[in-house]
Amino acid sequence: MTNAEIDQAIYDTAIEQGFNPTAAKLIAAQARFESADYTSRVFKTDNNTSGIKYIGSRQINASRGSLSPEGDYYAHFDTVQDSINDKIGRAHV
């Protein structure tokens, strides 16, 4: 996926989940910032759009990913869309 396609997928998922367009754009911008424009090690190895940590069974479609500098683990997602779904779901909490 290109950066623009990832941004669009985040935006579309946020809109589908009831966020307004401004909030959806902010969520996409935050993901781009947190993943260094989707170039970070965590994005590349774990399909993790935002450096989300692994917290266990409360995360859908996530498993324990790479070790973080703090000694815990990032969430690993099989697909970028799984990461997006997790991120958007958390924004609703």
Side-chain angles (χ1 to χ4, degrees), residues 58-69:
R58 296 188 318 201
Q59 284 171 295
I60 298 171
N61 297 321
S63 59
R64 191 172 83 174
S66 56
L67 185 66
S68 78

Side-chain angles (χ1 to χ4, degrees), residues 6-7 10-11 19 22-38 40 48-52 87-88 90-91:
I6 296 167
D7 289 343
I10 293 169
Y11 178 86
F19 287 88
T22 301
K25 289 175 186 176
L26 287 171
I27 293 168
Q30 179 184 11
R32 206 177 248 255
F33 174 76
E34 290 177 353
S35 67
D37 286 332
Y38 311 117
S40 71
N48 190 325
T49 60
S50 298
I52 294 170
K87 179 180 184 63
I88 300 301
R90 285 174 193 292

Side-chain angles (χ1 to χ4, degrees), residues 6-19 24 27 80-89 92:
I6 296 167
D7 289 343
Q8 189 65 54
I10 293 169
Y11 178 86
D12 291 344
T13 302
I15 293 295
E16 290 168 7
Q17 294 298 316
F19 287 88
I27 293 168
V80 171
Q81 186 62 53
D82 286 343
S83 176
I84 292 167
N85 293 341
D86 187 73
K87 179 180 184 63
I88 300 301
H92 267 292

Side-chain angles (χ1 to χ4, degrees), residues 8-9 26 42-43 55 93:
Q8 189 65 54
L26 287 171
V42 173
F43 176 76
I55 56 172
V93 176

